[in-house]
Each structure stands twice: as C-alpha cells, then as structure tokens.
Amino acid sequence: MKTRPLGHGAPAVSAIGFGGMPLSIQGRPANEQTSIRVIHSVLGAGVTLIDTADVYCLDDDDIGHNEHLIAQALRSWSGSRDRVVVATKGGLTRPGGTWGRDARPERLKQACERSLKALDVDVIDLYQLHAPDPSVPFVDSVAALVELQQEGKIRWIGLSNVSVAEIKTAAAMVPVVTVQNRLNPFFREALETGVVEHCAQAGIGFLAYSPVGGGRLNQKLPSHPALGPIAERHGVSAHAVVLAWVLARAHNVIPIPGARTVEHALDSLTAVNVELSPSELAAVDQAEFSRA
Ligand SMILES: NC(=O)c1ccc[n+]([C@@H]2O[C@H](COP(=O)([O-])OP(=O)(O)OC[C@H]3O[C@@H](n4cnc5c(N)ncnc54)[C@H](OP(=O)(O)O)[C@@H]3O)[C@@H](O)[C@H]2O)c1
C-alpha cells in the first residue's frame, strides 16, 4: 500500500484511509460481524488510517457505536495495532437522530473522555474538532483540544469543516496535523476556497471526506459518461477513478471512503495504483457532476 504523510510530526499512513460512518448510521449492517469483516478487510489490505467520530451512531443514546466497533475490530485483528492511526472527533450531537453542534470546551472534554473509553485506549491518536460551533468562540473550542493534548489524552490535533482563516487561527495556537473537509467531483469547495492548497503548503494532511460523493451521490458514478471510458482503460471501477482524481488534487490529500461491504471497501483501495493522465484528469475536471 502506498503511503502519504499524515501531517506535521505524525507518521505516514496509507494513501487511502477508511471512513467508519456508514457502518454505524441509519442503514448500517444489521449484523456487527459484517461490519467487523469490512474493517478487517481494509486493515488486511494495508490501510493504516481509520476515521471515526463519537456521533457515528443512530442517535444520542447510541453515541460511540462506531468507536466501539473499531475498537472491537482492532482487538480481534491478527495484525499489528501499532501501525494503525485511529482518528476520532468531538463537537457534534445526535438529538433524535438529527445532527447538532456543541463544541463548548466542557462538552469537548466530556466527549474526549467518552471516546477514550469507547476506543479502549489511553491516548487518542488524532482528535478532530468535528465542526466549529457558531455559538462558541472558535478559539475556545481549539483551546479545549490544546488542554486535552497537554493532559496527554490526545496525540495530534485535527480540524474538520473549517475555512482557511479558521485553520490559520488554530495553527497560531497549536500544530494542526490534519484538516478534514468534503472533497469529491460533486463538491469541490475545498479546492475553490483554497483549503487544500493551504494545507499542502503548511504541511497539514488533508483528509477528503465523502470522497466518492457520499451515500446517495456515489450511486451515480457507475453510469457517469465521463468516468466509463477512463474506468475501462484502467480496468477499474468508476469509484476508483474518482478516488484517483481526488488523490491527484495534491500530495497531502488522503481520501477516507466509507463502505458497508467488503467488496466496496476493497474496490476503493485499487485507486492507489491508478495514475490518471493529464487528459483524463481534465475530463473529470470539466465534466458536470449533477447533485440532483
Ligand atoms: N467530518 C465530517 O463532517 C464528515 C462528514 C461525512 C463523512 N465523513 C467521513 O468520511 C467518510 C466517507 O464519507 P461518506 O461515508 O459520507 O461518503 P463516501 O465515502 O463518499 O461514500 C460512501 C458510500 O459509497 C459507497 N462506496 C464507497 N466506495 C465504493 C466503491 N468502491 N464501489 C461502490 N460503492 C462504494 C459505499 O456503499 P456501501 O455502503 O453500499 O458499501 C458507501 O456507503 C465517512 O465514513 C466519515 O468517516 C466525515
């Protein structure tokens, strides 16, 4: 498996990570063993970055579902746990199954304690602010992560759903190792607003979330006219072409596709060996990816 630097002071990780969300939200596999098999399949294929969050669950009564699942999968995996970076997040809530924000410092500290227990670790590898909370000064949320790091509860600090200005504000307080924003051909705002470029220049790893478009839009890829010929030439799926396009955005981009089946999870990893030509990249750049 090819690797990419995760960010300042952190080790290189697999160039494609795994996102745990679909294994724990609405529509998740009914059987936990299925989910464990999916996680074991990517670990066995050389994935060394798993992304999760306390809120990857059904609702507030189910907080930590995905973190428990990942802890369980790592415990029962025959390979070396030491090579695997587990990234989790705090700062969101799931009241009644909806998505809310709560990044008050005291709430982030409680969430981190709960994540330590759910992940069954003494230190969280990478702890990410899930999203800025408009009702809390951004610097206060970041300061809570700094305190958690000083207390030895988290190794590296990451941000998610942030602007260049927010990255700069946080980076003035503490080394920011990763930024996790959405990036796929349907949603290119991370490119258009300069976040990817800023991270590349600042030595910050960019974790591309929903890299194949997310649960609904990814289903449009196999029939997309721009992707079919490219996929055929390389002998890979349309999803792999899109992931290769995401990887080609910059040297610091690490896509974290999610999947509920072993087949899909492993198919995505084939993208690390797909080198798209300049004209293939341009074809995806210029194609329309309708969100309708
Ligand atoms: N920071 C944030 O705010 C945020 C927000 C969203 C997501 N994320 C993170 O990013 C990860 C990925 O995002 P996502 O789950 O929203 O979207 P995604 O990875 O773009 O799409 C996931 C869906 O695409 C399908 N898929 C993936 N690879 C495939 C392949 N090679 N062939 C066929 N189908 C494939 C899967 O279907 P099946 O389920 O049928 O296998 C899966 O449900 C999440 O798991 C989470 O870790 C973070």
Side-chain angles (χ1 to χ4, degrees), residues 19 21 51 56 160-161 180 210 212 214 256 258 260 264 267-268:
M21 187 175 78
D51 180 68
Y56 293 166
S160 184
N161 296 300
Q180 179 176 150
S210 302
V212 293
I256 48 168
R260 291 168 300 177
H264 291 163
D267 178 75
S268 290

Side-chain angles (χ1 to χ4, degrees), residues 4 15-16 181-188 190-191 196 206-213 221 227 238-257 271 274 276 281 284-285:
R4 288 195 167 189
I16 297 184
N181 281 10
R182 181 170 55 188
L183 174 56
N184 59 58
F186 301 95
F187 291 95
R188 306 179 186 201
L191 300 169
V196 171
F206 181 88
L207 308 185
Y209 83 65
S210 302
V212 293
L221 300 182
L227 301 175
H239 286 74
V241 172
V242 164
L243 288 166
W245 178 86
V246 172
L247 279 165
R249 296 307 88 202
H251 63 87
N252 63 322
V253 172
I254 302 173
I256 48 168
V274 177
L276 299 179
L281 290 169
V284 180
D285 283 345

Side-chain angles (χ1 to χ4, degrees), residues 19-82:
M21 187 175 78
L23 298 178
S24 291
I25 60 170
Q26 200 69 37
R28 69 194 187 190
N31 180 344
E32 273 199 359
Q33 282 315 311
T34 305
S35 299
I36 302 279
R37 267 198 297 279
V38 173
I39 300 168
H40 282 174
S41 75
V42 295
L43 290 171
V47 166
T48 55
L49 173 66
I50 299 186
D51 180 68
T52 182
D54 54 350
V55 287
Y56 293 166
C57 61
L58 296 180
D59 56 34
D60 270 344
D61 295 330
D62 189 39
I63 290 284
H65 181 277
N66 199 246
E67 295 173 320
H68 280 289
L69 206 57
I70 287 160
Q72 211 184 322
L74 285 169
R75 271 196 300 269
S76 58
W77 185 47
S78 54
S80 164
R81 158 74 179 89
D82 297 348

Side-chain angles (χ1 to χ4, degrees), residues 2-283:
K2 289 181 184 162
T3 61
R4 288 195 167 189
L6 184 57
H8 285 302
V13 294
S14 53
I16 297 184
F18 178 74
M21 187 175 78
L23 298 178
S24 291
I25 60 170
Q26 200 69 37
R28 69 194 187 190
N31 180 344
E32 273 199 359
Q33 282 315 311
T34 305
S35 299
I36 302 279
R37 267 198 297 279
V38 173
I39 300 168
H40 282 174
S41 75
V42 295
L43 290 171
V47 166
T48 55
L49 173 66
I50 299 186
D51 180 68
T52 182
D54 54 350
V55 287
Y56 293 166
C57 61
L58 296 180
D59 56 34
D60 270 344
D61 295 330
D62 189 39
I63 290 284
H65 181 277
N66 199 246
E67 295 173 320
H68 280 289
L69 206 57
I70 287 160
Q72 211 184 322
L74 285 169
R75 271 196 300 269
S76 58
W77 185 47
S78 54
S80 164
R81 158 74 179 89
D82 297 348
R83 289 172 43 245
V84 182
V85 171
V86 177
T88 193
K89 317 182 191 79
L92 295 194
T93 56
R94 297 301 310 280
T98 63
W99 298 85
R101 296 191 185 198
D102 188 347
R104 286 173 289 172
E106 63 277 20
R107 151 79 196 173
L108 282 169
K109 288 179 186 171
Q110 285 161 6
C112 180
E113 294 293 344
R114 202 162 43 180
S115 290
L116 281 163
K117 288 200 183 79
L119 289 168
D120 193 17
V121 292
D122 298 326
V123 187
I124 290 170
D125 297 328
L126 173 61
Y127 197 66
Q128 305 158 100
L129 176 64
H130 208 142
D133 177 346
S135 62
V136 178
F138 179 65
V139 290
D140 291 359
S141 300
V142 176
L145 302 195
V146 175
E147 277 183 42
L148 288 165
Q149 189 175 50
Q150 285 164 350
E151 289 165 9
K153 292 178 177 162
I154 65 184
R155 192 162 288 132
W156 303 300
I157 289 174
L159 305 171
S160 184
N161 296 300
V162 282
S163 65
V164 171
E166 286 161 339
I167 298 166
K168 287 182 178 169
T169 299
M173 298 168 65
V174 70
V176 174
V177 170
T178 57
V179 163
Q180 179 176 150
N181 281 10
R182 181 170 55 188
L183 174 56
N184 59 58
F186 301 95
F187 291 95
R188 306 179 186 201
E189 65 278 3
L191 300 169
E192 291 152 3
T193 60
V195 170
V196 171
E197 194 185 347
H198 175 75
C199 290
Q201 284 168 0
I204 296 172
F206 181 88
L207 308 185
Y209 83 65
S210 302
V212 293
R216 181 178 68 87
L217 292 174
N218 91 86
Q219 294 167 34
K220 301 175 92 171
L221 300 182
S223 60
H224 193 286
L227 301 175
I230 306 175
E232 203 172 318
R233 259 197 307 281
H234 289 269
V236 296
S237 68
H239 286 74
V241 172
V242 164
L243 288 166
W245 178 86
V246 172
L247 279 165
R249 296 307 88 202
H251 63 87
N252 63 322
V253 172
I254 302 173
I256 48 168
R260 291 168 300 177
T261 67
V262 169
E263 185 198 349
H264 291 163
L266 294 182
D267 178 75
S268 290
L269 302 183
T270 63
V272 289
N273 296 317
V274 177
E275 196 83 34
L276 299 179
S277 69
S279 64
E280 290 170 336
L281 290 169

